[in-house]
Amino acid sequence: MTQPPTFVLFGATGDLARRMLFPSLYFLHMEGFLEEGQKIIGSSRSEYPDEEFREKMRPWIKERTGEYYDEATFNTFAERVSYVAVDASEPAHFARLRDALNDGQDEAVFYLSTSPSIFSAVCDALNEHGLSKAPNRIVVEKPIGHDLQSCIEINDTLASAFSEDRTYRIDHYLGKETVQNLIALRFANRIFEPLWSASSIDNVQITISETVGAEGRGGYYDAYGAIRDMVQNHMIQLLCLMAMEPPASLSADAIRNEKVKVLRSLAPITPANVQDKTVRGQYIEGHDSDGKSCLNYLDDVEATHSDTETYVAINAEIKNWRWAGVPFYLQTGKRMSERKTEIVVSFRPLPHSIFDSPASPNELVITLQPKEEIKLQIMNKRPGLIEGSMPLQELSLNLSLSDHLSAIGENRRRIAYEQLILDALRRNASLFVQRDEQEAAWRFIDGIVDSWDKRNMTPMPYKSGRDGPPGKHSLTERNGHSWYE
């Protein structure tokens, strides 16, 4: 039997490894998705004997998995795990890793849960020790750059050691169950495709709102802001899944090629239209949903001045036959009134109504978090006897993924990384981001940031616990629309 690939995790003592990656690996082991003999190697600069590292892992997994933690299952999982201390600045240390991989003969998946600043050192050392050869592959976390130029430089570094088909760039949103369901919703249901164009759809809104502020990650966040932290990756990916043409198949290349076409069709935002097409905001003191007082952004990041946006809204236009004239409104912010990720597809109103009472346009509401559900808002007769014209009311056809899973006994909400790790082990790249897709997204974002600078567009203040600055409403009202509430 062929030896399954070894999962090598750089940054094995970091926050992401503790909260997401090792718990995901534990669940994959618990449910039988890790093959017999599949090994896991944790790696960071600190020195640990294997047994000490396994014990260090135990509370991480116990805390994250909660009621699903089982001592016997952990013990069998821990048998898969070993540890190799590697300092990326010391290329000689990679000889230890080579030895752990049977003198480099074992197939490996290298997961870089590290700062991009050491990607180059890791890739050079893997190359030098013969560990970047096929079929070995590399998985990298965002951020892939701060702008297009830095993204290209990082991608060039990765390409020096691993071919594009062996480079897996993670956007954890693509591992979420409901995000994957967007493909099934669109392309497995005959009723939607004839309506999925400018002839039937009036506008699309994508919202990712958070109740937390930037505290705890101020240094990173103040350098990136909402547009780089959320729009460039998560929101752009949701936009592509909603707008792309039907792919020829579910293969990685077929799906990713259609997403690239969407990105290349985005109308550039320039200094001439940036004030009409975007809104920036930064939260100030206020109160959260529980009435607790909140600090302003400057206090959260311990700065005296910052023009970093914590809220951004964009009116994006896709210049192709399917979507010409349909605004895609994107908004994301911190310290908002509620935590949610939601996509709202608003259909065009009826060309003529035979009813005296107004018929509201139909809306498809796709909620990704906190509860995963899909609702179709339709018009229905109001119950009761009729005197004169038929009265109407709005009702929802509701498909709750969370309720369905509970009904069949699948109560555990999966960690998005479970699917992505499994796909990397199985060489399925369909949920990962390819280079030209990523660079096209940065090109669009760079145009906005450059236009902000040229027009001196500083963020507008908004109170914590509110849904962004009041000026955001002008973005939709220019087209006769309003934000979905």
Side-chain angles (χ1 to χ4, degrees):
M1 187 177 75
T2 304
Q3 174 71 21
T6 298
F7 187 81
V8 180
L9 176 56
F10 291 97
T13 58
D15 181 65
L16 183 67
R18 296 197 306 267
R19 291 186 302 106
M20 297 292 181
L21 303 181
F22 279 116
S24 294
L25 288 162
Y26 169 87
F27 279 129
L28 291 174
H29 167 81
M30 182 183 79
E31 297 186 3
F33 287 106
L34 297 186
E35 298 180 61
E36 184 179 348
Q38 194 143 46
K39 296 184 294 184
I40 299 165
I41 298 176
S43 182
S44 66
R45 289 179 295 181
S46 303
E47 297 277 354
Y48 297 106
D50 288 350
E51 196 54 44
E52 184 179 345
F53 182 74
R54 290 166 184 159
E55 285 306 310
K56 192 176 182 65
M57 249 183 1
R58 189 188 301 269
W60 304 343
I61 292 175
K62 198 168 187 177
E63 180 181 359
R64 183 66 174 84
T65 58
E67 63 182 295
Y68 300 101
Y69 179 81
D70 176 77
E71 197 70 27
T73 302
F74 175 82
N75 290 335
T76 57
F77 170 70
E79 290 173 3
R80 296 180 181 271
V81 181
S82 59
Y83 183 85
V84 177
V86 173
D87 185 337
S89 64
E90 297 288 343
H93 285 192
F94 285 78
R96 305 172 183 175
L97 189 57
R98 181 183 174 88
D99 291 342
L101 291 169
N102 188 24
D103 197 30
Q105 298 306 304
D106 292 349
E107 180 182 341
V109 175
F110 300 106
Y111 194 117
L112 273 58
S113 179
T114 65
S115 166
S117 63
I118 71 167
F119 285 3
S120 179
V122 172
C123 288
D124 288 345
L126 291 175
N127 237 346
E128 181 183 336
H129 288 82
L131 296 175
S132 61
K133 65 182 185 303
N136 292 356
R137 44 210 179 273
I138 193 166
V139 183
V140 290
E141 277 283 344
K142 78 175 185 77
I144 308 294
H146 182 266
D147 53 19
L148 177 59
Q149 184 55 43
S150 57
C151 176
I152 290 172
E153 290 169 3
I154 292 172
N155 280 328
D156 285 345
T157 293
L158 298 172
S160 70
F162 294 88
S163 57
E164 179 63 23
D165 64 312
R166 295 187 293 117
T167 302
Y168 292 58
R169 300 171 189 84
I170 274 197
D171 183 332
H172 76 267
Y173 255 63
L174 296 181
K176 291 179 179 290
E177 195 77 42
T178 317
V179 174
Q180 296 172 61
N181 264 334
L182 294 178
I183 294 176
L185 177 75
R186 286 199 53 197
F187 304 125
N189 295 287
R190 181 70 177 85
I191 61 173
F192 289 118
E193 181 55 31
L195 305 177
W196 215 260
S197 68
S199 61
S200 297
I201 292 177
D202 187 48
N203 69 89
V204 178
Q205 298 182 21
I206 302 175
T207 297
I208 302 179
S209 66
E210 302 176 277
T211 55
V212 298
E215 68 278 9
R217 57 198 293 253
Y220 163 81
Y221 193 87
D222 202 47
Y224 278 77
I227 194 165
R228 294 184 176 99
D229 184 51
M230 295 296 288
V231 179
Q232 188 275 331
N233 40 73
H234 305 329
M235 302 200 82
I236 288 289
Q237 287 297 319
L238 295 178
L239 168 68
C240 288
L241 291 173
M242 293 299 291
M244 72 182 191
E245 295 295 320
S249 69
L250 290 177
S251 71
D253 286 345
I255 291 174
R256 297 190 304 187
N257 287 344
E258 294 304 333
K259 289 196 289 181
V260 170
K261 291 178 186 176
V262 174
L263 292 170
R264 290 174 177 166
S265 299
L266 283 171
I269 292 178
T270 67
N273 64 10
V274 68
Q275 291 177 313
D276 291 337
K277 295 292 185 180
T278 70
V279 175
R280 299 179 81 192
Q282 186 183 99
Y283 65 80
I284 57 176
E285 297 93 338
H287 296 84
D288 63 18
S289 55
D290 297 324
K292 181 181 176 182
S293 62
C294 301
L295 295 175
N296 65 32
Y297 175 74
L298 295 179
D299 290 334
D300 273 344
V301 300
E302 299 179 350
T304 57
H305 173 78
S306 175
D307 284 335
T308 298
E309 74 287 344
T310 62
Y311 173 92
V312 62
I314 299 170
N315 175 359
E317 295 181 81
I318 301 171
K319 297 290 190 179
N320 62 23
W321 282 19
R322 183 182 287 266
W323 296 114
V326 177
F328 280 74
Y329 300 112
L330 316 180
Q331 69 165 339
T332 183
K334 289 189 173 295
R335 288 264 191 256
M336 305 274 271
S337 65
E338 62 178 322
R339 173 180 172 266
K340 69 177 180 181
T341 300
E342 190 172 70
I343 302 170
V344 180
V345 180
S346 295
F347 292 91
R348 295 193 181 280
L350 294 167
H352 173 70
S353 177
I354 61 174
F355 304 94
D356 288 343
S357 54
S360 301
N362 302 124
E363 291 174 322
L364 180 67
V365 182
I366 304 165
T367 304
L368 281 69
Q369 62 181 21
K371 189 175 182 180
E372 299 174 325
E373 63 182 10
I374 299 171
K375 294 189 297 185
L376 180 61
Q377 310 278 59
I378 63 169
M379 298 306 297
N380 189 59
K381 174 192 171 294
R382 185 179 297 134
L385 298 176
I386 298 175
E387 285 188 289
S389 181
M390 182 183 295
L392 299 176
Q393 67 178 4
E394 192 172 350
L395 292 178
S396 294
L397 296 177
N398 192 345
L399 168 63
S400 171
L401 180 61
S402 302
D403 291 348
H404 171 70
L405 291 175
S406 295
I408 63 174
E410 292 282 347
N411 295 315
R412 182 172 77 81
R413 186 168 182 174
R414 292 188 180 277
I415 303 171
Y417 283 93
E418 294 176 50
Q419 183 69 62
L420 298 170
I421 290 172
L422 181 62
D423 284 353
L425 290 171
R426 302 286 171 84
R427 300 189 203 178
N428 178 5
S430 59
L431 294 180
F432 295 86
V433 182
Q434 69 184 18
R435 177 171 182 164
D436 57 350
E437 181 183 348
Q438 189 176 67
E439 292 177 2
W442 269 122
R443 193 169 288 109
F444 177 68
I445 297 300
D446 278 3
I448 297 174
V449 173
D450 180 63
S451 298
W452 283 344
D453 291 342
K454 289 179 176 175
R455 296 305 298 264
N456 194 28
M457 267 186 70
T458 55
M460 296 184 287
Y462 65 96
K463 284 189 174 182
S464 294
R466 304 282 178 87
D467 287 327
K472 77 173 196 174
H473 296 291
S474 62
L475 190 77
T476 53
E477 288 170 356
R478 286 188 185 94
N479 298 319
H481 302 138
S482 58
W483 290 106
Y484 178 80
E485 302 292 343

